[in-house]
Each structure stands twice: as structure tokens, then as C-alpha cells.
Amino acid sequence: NAGVTQTPKFQVLKTGQSMTLQCAQDMNHEYMSWYRQDPGMGLRLIHYSVGAGITDQGEVPNGYNVSRSTTEDFPLRLLSAAPSQTSVYFCASSYLADTNYGYTFGSGTRLTVV
Amino acid sequence: SQQGEEDPQALSIQEGENATMNCSYKTSINNLQWYRQNSGRGLVHLILIRSNEREKHSGRLRVTLDTSKKSSSLLITASRAADTASYFCATDAEGGNNRLAFGKGNQVVVIP
């Protein structure tokens, strides 16, 4: 049981490049989400999904795209990287029904856009 | 939008002392959760308190919730150096479809 796995751990992109951040969970969680964490800003929700085939926007969705073709995977795509997207990105998952377990987070992807 | 707001932002205490952090929020909630983040790591879920609960304990953690004041507190008793971390509150708003809104976090340093 690996929990939530994020790859890569570190990435440097040039402005205008595109890339996909991978997120996979093996807990059969219905709910998955992407957050970005910036100094002094806490965590801000980018996109989320309540199940395969269903995605929705969070607080800061611009410049990002997601899909959920399987329960396990929830990749985050940066369409055309900008320096403002330099951040630490976290994927999190949970059961959709109200439980005591909260979210399980991945270890993060540290992205630098130059 | 950011819902939880923790106060104080940074706390430095001696090992063995208690650490208290507060969190306020703006809308009605289903539950409120606290998370810990060690430097360079992901967040770890600590405790969840539902809107109809007033107090909850888990080991050395005690959480209170006052829905009339829209506020919560996290108490860590008998702190240890390993408790050094950032602590975040997060709210699951009513009708929010399981989305969590996180506060900006409290940095706690426990001095051995």
C-alpha cells in the first residue's frame, strides 16, 4: 500500500514548455485533488475530481488541465509554463463519504519555471 | 478562497511546554481538520472534528470547535522536538463537495 505517489519530485521548466505532473493512489479513493503551495499563501486548490470521468475547477485553475480516466490516476498538465507557476504541487486523495481519515497527501513536486 | 486563518503564525516553545494554535473560518462547515507538515514533506492528517462536536482528543492532541464563533484551537501537550513543523487547519464547507480550504499555517518550533 503505497498511498499517494507523485512524480517527479523536482522539475525545472523553461517558460512556454508543457509538462504533466503524475499522481497515483492505491487506496481506491474516489476523491482526488491538486493543490499548490506558495510561501505565505498556504495551499490553494487547483482542480479536483470526485470520481473517474468527473473533474472540476478549484480556486486557481488557470494554466492547468486535468483528467481522471481511472480511479487511481489524476495527472495535472501545465499547458504553457510561466514563472508564476513556480511552486510546490501536492496531490491529495480521500474517500468521498464523510470519514475520520481526512486527506492523504503525496510528498509533492517542486517545480521551477525559468 | 482561503477559509481557515491560523493565529499565531509562528510559535517557539521549550520542549515539555504546551503549544496552542487557533483557526477561524467564515462559512458553515461539515468538519474542520488539522494537518502537520514537516519541512520539505507532504501534509499529514492529524485530527478531524465534526460540526456537531465540541472537543476531540487524539494522544497529545486536543482540538476544540466553537461553531458560534467559527473558530477552532489545536493544543499539543508536553511538546517534543519532533513536533517542530507547520500546522494547518482546513475546513470542509457545507455543500463544498469534499473540497478542503486550508489556512496559511502555523510554524511551531520546539526547542530541546
Side-chain angles (χ1 to χ4, degrees):
Chain A
N1 190 337
V4 177
T5 302
Q6 287 186 239
T7 56
K9 293 191 184 304
F10 301 94
Q11 183 71 49
V12 178
L13 286 180
K14 293 182 179 178
T15 298
Q17 287 185 318
S18 63
M19 78 160 294
T20 299
L21 279 62
Q22 301 291 344
C23 175
Q25 54 91 9
D26 60 358
M27 298 167 285
N28 206 30
H29 285 169
E30 304 96 337
Y31 183 86
M32 296 186 74
S33 56
W34 279 100
Y35 287 85
R36 60 178 288 173
Q37 185 177 31
D38 302 292
M41 299 290 290
L43 280 80
R44 293 182 291 171
L45 180 65
I46 305 171
H47 285 285
Y48 67 99
S49 168
V50 298
I54 306 169
T55 63
D56 208 343
Q57 297 181 349
E59 182 186 356
V60 288
N62 292 340
Y64 307 96
N65 204 357
V66 291
S67 59
R68 184 94 179 270
S69 56
T70 66
T71 300
E72 294 78 19
D73 299 298
F74 191 45
L76 177 72
R77 296 181 188 84
L78 278 71
L79 308 173
S80 177
S84 61
Q85 294 178 304
T86 293
S87 187
V88 182
Y89 292 84
F90 288 101
C91 179
S93 70
S94 75
Y95 292 112
L96 198 54
D98 193 20
T99 72
N100 282 320
Y101 299 107
Y103 283 12
T104 300
F105 277 81
S107 57
T109 295
R110 187 174 295 273
L111 175 69
T112 303
V113 182
V114 297
Chain B
S1 61
Q2 289 292 327
Q3 165 106 297
E5 291 287 342
E6 294 91 347
D7 175 67
Q9 299 292 308
L11 185 64
S12 183
I13 58 174
Q14 295 289 330
E15 200 166 31
E17 293 180 338
N18 296 341
T20 300
M21 289 154 272
N22 298 308
C23 169
S24 61
Y25 57 92
K26 296 182 174 65
T27 64
S28 296
I29 60 172
N30 291 317
N31 63 66
L32 185 144
Q33 305 176 30
W34 286 90
Y35 289 78
R36 183 187 74 233
Q37 183 180 33
N38 292 96
S39 181
R41 309 291 292 271
L43 279 73
V44 174
H45 180 252
L46 294 176
I47 194 166
L48 179 154
I49 187 165
R50 302 178 194 281
S51 60
N52 61 353
E53 297 175 311
R54 292 297 165 258
E55 187 171 312
K56 200 162 184 180
H57 296 254
S58 177
R60 293 183 296 110
L61 303 179
R62 173 177 167 254
V63 172
T64 62
L65 179 66
D66 187 335
T67 53
S68 67
K69 295 181 179 178
K70 290 187 168 56
S71 67
S72 172
S73 67
L74 172 67
L75 169 67
I76 305 173
T77 60
S79 63
R80 305 167 181 169
D83 294 328
T84 294
S86 293
Y87 292 83
F88 294 85
C89 74
T91 51
D92 178 6
E94 279 186 359
N97 212 8
N98 205 43
R99 290 174 296 177
L100 286 186
F102 284 82
K104 294 182 172 58
N106 267 294
Q107 190 167 4
V108 175
V109 175
V110 181
I111 302 165

